[in-house]
């Protein structure tokens, strides 16, 4: 009897220890350090070990976006002399790599150009845990199974907020493309009003607009919440080519959000501009009511400037999604007549 009790006690100790370990493990199940800390590609296959490297020359050129924002996206573009089957992507100094099949339409699209060069574009998802610059390394595999020599591309880490809800816009060249998020109560977050409706910053601005002391602007630090990255504003090129809006739990509304993009200033009308919007809530890609996530599109060459404020006239609606927790959007964000008259002052506050 004592022996049986001892066995039961021993089993209980082991079981509890295993349970405590399982509950205390912070790593996401099935996710490698490469994917958790640096990069991922939808529908890719993670493989342990060193990146395969061969001796075959296949690529005419290859580019990867230099700016890397946590929770954002980047484009890997491959120009090849022949049709490719896979690309292997890793990070210098990190174990393992991602095997991406290039003919899978959800991960990459390939086409033969008039010059006989095959162009492939791979959408790379940057981890929200990204905290430093890194060097991307990759090789390609042709239809005969031959592996190319290794290519490398250095990135430049750009600090950006992720919060509990993050909406990120990435575009492919140096233009002024704007991101808009419409909150459930109608408040529009954009370059001219960068803060969520229920944030402290919004309330300070609201009080200032309702006051008669317009000469003394409120002291607000941009970047703590809301729109913290506004790239290439007015064609003053910074090369980041991204916009980013994030929310924290204490100022998030419950309900349906809308995401829009707009070509505010086409700094080089001779070329088209690809863009991608990615929305993440508590570390997981949201499932939109309409549209896809991530979703990609293109502003064709010659797209005219559309210098709008928050009215969204001529902007492109990307998606709608619903958050089922947060503050009830009881107050309407409709612009009062007084605020409308003061819009010039309101926008000037964030012009720089």
């Amino acid at each position: 009897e004592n022996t049986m009790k001892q066995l039961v006690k021993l089993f209980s100790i082991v079981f509890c220890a295993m349970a405590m370990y399982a509950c205390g493990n912070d790593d996401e199940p099935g996710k490698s350090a490469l994917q958790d800390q640096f990069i991922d590609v939808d529908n890719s296959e993670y493989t342990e070990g060193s990146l395969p490297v061969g001796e075959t020359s296949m690529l005419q050129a290859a580019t990867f976006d230099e700016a890397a924002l946590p929770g954002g996206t980047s484009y890997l573009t491959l120009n090849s002399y022949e049709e490719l089957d896979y690309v292997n992507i890793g990070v210098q100094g990190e174990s393992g790599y991602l095997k991406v099949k290039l003919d899978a339409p959800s991960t990459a699209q390939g086409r033969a150009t008039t010059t006989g060069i095959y162009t492939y574009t791979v959408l790379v998802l940057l981890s929200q845990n990204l905290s430093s610059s890194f060097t991307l390394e990759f090789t390609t595999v042709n239809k005969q199974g031959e592996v190319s020599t290794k290519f490398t591309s250095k990135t430049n880490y750009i600090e950006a907020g992720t919060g509990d809800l993050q909406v990120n816009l990435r575009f492919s060249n140096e233009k002024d493309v704007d991101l808009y998020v419409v909150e459930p109560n109608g408040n529009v977050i954009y370059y001219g009003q960068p803060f969520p409706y229920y944030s402290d910053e919004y309330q300070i601005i609201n009080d200032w607009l309702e006051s008669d002391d317009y000469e003394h602007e409120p002291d607000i630090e941009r970047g703590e919440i809301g729109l913290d990255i506004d790239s290439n504003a007015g064609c003053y090129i910074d090369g980041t080519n991204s916009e980013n809006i994030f929310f924290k739990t204490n100022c998030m509304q419950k309900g349906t959000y809308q995401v829009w993009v707009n070509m505010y200033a086409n700094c080089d009308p001779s070329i088209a501009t690809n863009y991608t919007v990615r929305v993440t809530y508590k570390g997981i890609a949201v499932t939109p009511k309409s549209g896809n996530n991530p979703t990609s599109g293109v502003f064709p060459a010659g797209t005219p400037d559309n210098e709008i404020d928050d009215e969204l006239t001529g902007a492109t609606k990307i998606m709608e999604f619903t958050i089922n927790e947060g503050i009830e959007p009881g107050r309407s964000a409709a612009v009062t007549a007084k605020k409308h008259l003061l819009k010039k002052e309101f926008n000037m506050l964030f012009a720089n």
Side-chain angles (χ1 to χ4, degrees):
E1 183 178 357
N2 290 336
T3 302
M4 180 61 68
K5 287 182 179 179
Q6 289 174 351
L7 288 173
V8 171
K9 184 176 181 180
L10 177 62
F11 175 80
S12 300
I13 293 173
V14 172
F15 178 82
C16 291
M18 291 175 65
M20 289 175 64
Y21 173 80
C23 293
N25 190 355
D26 292 332
D27 293 336
E28 186 174 334
K31 206 167 191 180
S32 67
L34 174 70
Q35 295 163 301
D36 184 65
Q37 299 296 321
F38 292 96
I39 61 169
D40 204 354
V41 176
D42 283 344
N43 300 321
S44 63
E45 177 186 339
Y46 174 76
T47 304
E48 279 287 356
S50 301
L51 187 79
V53 179
E55 299 180 354
T56 306
S57 178
M58 301 178 193
L59 298 182
Q60 179 204 45
T63 59
F64 185 66
D65 295 334
E66 182 177 346
L69 283 71
T73 58
S74 287
Y75 302 109
L76 173 62
T77 303
L78 310 169
N79 293 325
S80 175
Y81 293 110
E82 58 185 305
E83 287 190 73
L84 302 177
D85 199 11
Y86 288 92
V87 59
N88 303 306
I89 309 173
V91 169
Q92 196 171 81
E94 291 296 317
S95 175
Y97 61 94
L98 303 174
K99 184 178 180 181
V100 183
K101 188 164 180 58
L102 288 173
D103 61 359
S106 60
T107 58
Q109 294 178 334
R111 65 183 187 277
T113 65
T114 56
T115 59
I117 299 297
Y118 291 85
T119 300
Y120 300 86
T121 301
V122 180
L123 182 65
V124 177
L125 308 179
L126 301 173
S127 170
Q128 286 190 308
N129 299 321
L130 185 68
S131 59
S132 64
S133 301
F134 64 92
T135 298
L136 192 81
E137 54 182 20
F138 52 94
T139 60
T140 56
V141 182
N142 63 16
K143 295 294 185 179
Q144 291 73 45
E146 299 172 314
V147 182
S148 74
T149 54
K150 183 168 67 175
F151 284 74
T152 60
S153 181
K154 293 182 178 180
T155 66
N156 179 30
Y157 173 74
I158 305 294
E159 186 175 356
T162 55
D164 292 284
L165 173 64
Q166 180 185 14
V167 183
N168 181 268
L169 164 67
R170 179 71 184 174
F171 40 100
S172 61
N173 40 42
E174 296 175 336
K175 301 185 181 183
D176 185 2
V177 184
D178 284 330
L179 175 65
Y180 296 76
V181 173
V182 183
E183 295 185 275
N185 72 339
N187 179 53
V188 182
I189 301 173
Y190 73 114
Y191 69 88
Q193 198 302 89
F195 302 118
Y197 187 82
Y198 284 102
S199 65
D200 293 339
E201 290 85 350
Y202 184 97
Q203 187 58 54
I204 292 171
I205 295 171
N206 185 72
D207 292 343
W208 173 66
L209 289 174
E210 294 294 343
S211 74
D212 295 323
D213 188 14
Y214 309 132
E215 294 182 359
H216 297 87
E217 297 178 350
D219 184 17
I220 296 179
E221 184 176 351
R222 187 167 177 167
E224 296 298 319
I225 197 71
L227 178 70
D228 63 336
I229 302 291
D230 181 12
S231 182
N232 304 333
C235 292
Y236 288 94
I237 304 302
D238 55 37
T240 300
N241 301 343
S242 186
E243 302 234 334
N244 193 71
I245 294 174
F246 71 103
F247 300 75
K248 298 175 183 176
T249 300
N250 61 355
C251 63
M252 281 185 54
Q253 296 181 35
K254 178 180 180 181
T256 298
Y257 292 73
Q258 300 176 14
V259 181
W260 298 67
V261 298
N262 177 59
M263 178 66 78
Y264 185 90
N266 194 343
C267 312
D268 183 358
S270 68
I271 56 176
T273 301
N274 298 313
Y275 63 83
T276 297
V277 172
R278 179 186 179 193
V279 182
T280 308
Y281 180 58
K282 294 186 176 180
I284 300 173
V286 303
T287 301
K289 295 176 61 178
S290 65
N292 300 311
N293 182 33
T295 188
S296 297
V298 58
F299 290 107
T303 297
D305 296 351
N306 188 31
E307 298 181 356
I308 59 174
D309 287 314
D310 60 356
E311 65 271 20
L312 299 175
T313 305
T316 301
K317 188 176 182 180
I318 301 300
M319 71 173 79
E320 288 188 357
F321 62 90
T322 299
I323 300 297
N324 292 316
E325 54 189 354
I327 302 170
E328 291 288 347
R331 293 181 289 177
S332 171
V335 178
T336 65
K338 186 172 183 180
K339 289 181 184 177
H340 182 74
L341 290 172
L342 291 171
K343 182 176 282 187
K344 180 179 179 181
E345 286 82 356
F346 189 81
N347 288 343
M348 284 178 64
L349 178 63
F350 300 105
N352 298 318

